[in-house]
Amino acid sequence: MSKVLVIYYSRSGNTEKMAKAVVEGAKSNQNVAVDLSYHVEAEELGSYDAIIVGTPTYRTQMPIEIKNLFEEASAKQINLKNKIGSAFGSYGWSGEAPQAVIEILKKFEMQVIEPPIRAKYNPDQKTLEACLELGKAVAQKLSP
Ligand SMILES: Cc1cc2nc3c(=O)[nH]c(=O)nc-3n(C[C@H](O)[C@H](O)[C@H](O)COP(=O)(O)O)c2cc1C
């Protein structure tokens, strides 16, 4: 069975709401197993078929936890080539982080779904539906 990872960081819960909607969408497909996680080891990334990253923007950056995860994966030469990847996240005014994550995923030669879904502060219903659809679309790509 194909495996989807939704890995996210969220300090005030906005990106977390988006992450839960992505998971709900992916889980609606019985052919994939879905994990929602706040922290994984770099080595674990290799065991997933799709990696969807939830990242808020703080001080124009992605959280250090997300940055470190992919730096470590790179240093350890974890092979993510051709895995499906995407990003989403809440922001306040500039919102650079999700696109910055997308660029990292591309360096790993992942099959990237873009543009990333972004929510200004608290995600509204429309944005949560887009997150749900992202989860469904990823699961669909992995289904036999
Ligand atoms: C100290 C601090 C710095 C922030 N810096 C930025 C920023 O540079 N650009 C931006 O778009 N939003 C910025 N924000 C707003 C957050 O991205 C926003 O509150 C977002 O909803 C947080 O998501 P979370 O609830 O998932 O942690 C900042 C917020 C705080 C508290």
Side-chain angles (χ1 to χ4, degrees):
M1 189 184 261
S2 296
K3 284 173 69 187
V4 177
L5 173 66
V6 179
I7 170 92
Y8 74 100
Y9 179 90
S10 186
R11 206 185 288 177
S12 47
N14 293 327
T15 303
E16 183 171 47
K17 288 179 195 164
M18 300 172 79
K20 287 183 173 164
V22 174
V23 166
E24 194 187 327
K27 277 194 171 166
S28 70
N29 186 323
Q30 313 271 307
N31 298 319
V32 298
V34 188
D35 286 343
L36 173 66
S37 184
Y38 204 76
H39 176 84
V40 294
E41 299 298 330
E43 288 83 353
E44 293 176 65
L45 292 177
S47 71
Y48 288 94
D49 303 290
I51 301 164
I52 314 176
V53 184
T55 173
T57 302
Y58 283 101
R59 296 192 176 85
T60 75
Q61 308 283 320
M62 70 187 75
I64 193 77
E65 290 82 354
I66 303 280
K67 190 164 179 273
N68 285 349
L69 174 64
F70 286 101
E71 278 182 2
E72 206 182 320
S74 177
K76 291 181 173 166
Q77 299 187 331
I78 309 292
N79 184 9
L80 305 181
K81 191 173 176 178
N82 292 331
K83 293 180 190 294
I84 295 168
S86 195
F88 61 88
S90 175
Y91 70 103
W93 49 92
S94 57
E96 295 92 336
Q99 190 60 44
V101 167
I102 291 279
E103 299 310 322
I104 291 173
L105 302 183
K106 284 181 182 172
K107 284 193 186 146
F108 281 92
E109 299 182 76
M110 292 176 70
Q111 292 179 51
V112 168
I113 298 172
E114 57 181 332
I117 300 167
R118 300 191 310 164
K120 194 159 185 176
Y121 294 110
N122 192 29
D124 61 15
Q125 202 50 41
K126 193 166 163 247
T127 310
L128 290 175
E129 271 162 30
C131 291
L132 197 95
E133 291 304 322
L134 173 65
K136 280 188 189 172
V138 169
Q140 183 64 41
K141 272 179 180 278
L142 294 173
S143 289

